Amino acid sequence: MARVRYGARTEAEITASRTAGAKLPDIWSTGVVAVWETDPDAVAAVLPPPLKPTARPLVRVNISKVDLPGYPLGAGSFAVAAAHEAVEGWYPLVMPMTHERALTGGREVFGEPKKLGEVVVERDGLVVRASMARHGIAFVEVRGAVSGPLPLPEPARKTDFYFKFLPAVDGSGFDGDPVLVYCERDEKARRLERVTGDVVLRESLYDPVADLPVRHLVEITVGEKTSTQHGRVVERVDARALLPYVHQRYDDPRQILDAPPEDGGA
């Protein structure tokens, strides 16, 4: 009998799939990063406990084009500065991805708030434009002109905070305790340039980033970097404290209770 592809995989196949990522060469991305100060109260309002605001109410937007073997990937992140105990990092509110492969792994493994969307990074000479869009709305746009090179930063480790959870099947909360995840990225750059420009935040019912306006633009850069990431569960969190923030993950929180037809939609 020919192999049934939905059947169980062998232990060797499972092991091979786990180690395949370690054999990949460095994958470089071209990205535009914008950082600004926003309203402190707005940052505090979006942080689920036990995360807390840092000394500066910063927002960071990272919009990248990734040269993955076989197909390009557009990847975006809109995050606010946050701290957990003595560790400072970033808490992403939305991470648009242009392909399902990047979306699925990030959401199911790390708890990343990824959603399918449109991510654009363009450069024409010195002119740079990058945007993240969903539902026909470019809710973030960064635009400007390259104004000069910057020194390459030393390789560094950066931390993103995620909450990994499963909504309960009866809609009453969660199936199991949610966990706080540290996603630690080791980054290195091979090119970095300063951009003189601005950030435009557009109103969107689905991605309301306009609630964190640009009060003081800190910097805009464009560059090329590569990174590796590792995740770890730090602690279990209070389900009741996290529940009011679950809507951040969905366009409509009621969609988690959408019931498919009994025949699977056929």
Side-chain angles (χ1 to χ4, degrees):
M1 182 180 71
R3 179 173 184 181
V4 179
R5 287 167 290 177
Y6 271 125
R9 291 190 170 182
T10 66
E11 183 175 346
E13 289 173 324
I14 294 173
T15 301
S17 66
R18 288 175 178 168
T19 58
K23 301 176 182 178
L24 291 175
D26 288 344
I27 297 175
W28 293 89
S29 65
T30 300
V32 174
V33 178
V35 179
W36 66 87
E37 289 187 357
T38 189
D39 296 332
D41 291 344
V43 173
V46 302
L47 292 176
L51 299 183
K52 296 181 179 180
T54 58
R56 295 182 72 185
L58 295 177
V59 177
R60 183 192 67 184
V61 164
N62 191 334
I63 308 173
S64 299
K65 179 174 61 177
V66 187
D67 294 326
L68 288 177
Y71 62 92
L73 168 69
S77 174
F78 186 105
V80 298
H84 176 243
E85 299 179 346
V87 178
E88 292 195 359
W90 298 91
Y91 174 63
L93 294 172
V94 60
M95 300 175 69
M97 300 284 134
T98 57
H99 293 295
E100 184 180 14
R101 181 178 179 181
L103 181 151
T104 303
R107 286 176 65 106
E108 296 184 3
V109 177
F110 293 97
E112 295 173 328
K114 290 183 173 180
K115 300 177 180 180
L116 285 175
E118 300 173 15
V119 180
V120 174
V121 178
E122 299 174 327
R123 179 168 181 172
D124 184 5
L126 298 179
V127 178
V128 174
R129 176 184 173 273
S131 65
M132 301 188 295
R134 297 179 65 249
H135 300 287
I137 301 171
F139 57 91
V140 178
E141 182 177 356
V142 183
R143 57 198 184 186
V146 174
S147 53
L150 289 169
L152 290 181
E154 292 294 323
R157 173 166 291 184
K158 298 180 180 179
T159 302
D160 279 359
F161 304 114
Y162 304 127
F163 291 94
K164 184 176 179 179
F165 57 81
L166 285 174
V169 294
D170 63 2
S172 62
F174 303 105
D175 282 334
D177 293 332
V179 296
L180 174 62
V181 174
Y182 282 12
C183 182
E184 297 167 329
R185 290 185 175 85
D186 294 315
E187 294 185 355
K188 60 181 179 180
R190 66 183 182 187
R191 182 176 63 85
L192 190 64
E193 296 171 287
R194 180 186 297 108
V195 174
T196 300
D198 60 2
V199 177
V200 178
L201 304 179
R202 295 187 177 89
E203 178 59 36
S204 170
L205 174 65
Y206 305 101
D207 302 288
V209 299
D211 292 346
L212 294 116
V214 180
R215 296 305 187 205
H216 169 66
L217 185 60
V218 176
E219 66 175 2
I220 303 175
T221 59
V222 61
E224 296 179 3
K225 69 179 180 181
T226 186
S227 65
T228 58
Q229 71 178 39
H230 307 277
R232 59 188 176 96
V233 172
V234 177
E235 66 177 54
R236 298 192 179 277
V237 300
D238 184 345
R240 290 173 297 179
L242 180 61
L243 192 60
Y245 298 87
V246 169
H247 67 92
Q248 295 174 345
R249 192 71 55 87
Y250 307 98
D251 290 347
D252 182 350
R254 293 173 297 180
Q255 75 186 69
I256 63 176
L257 297 178
D258 287 350
E262 291 184 3
D263 63 357

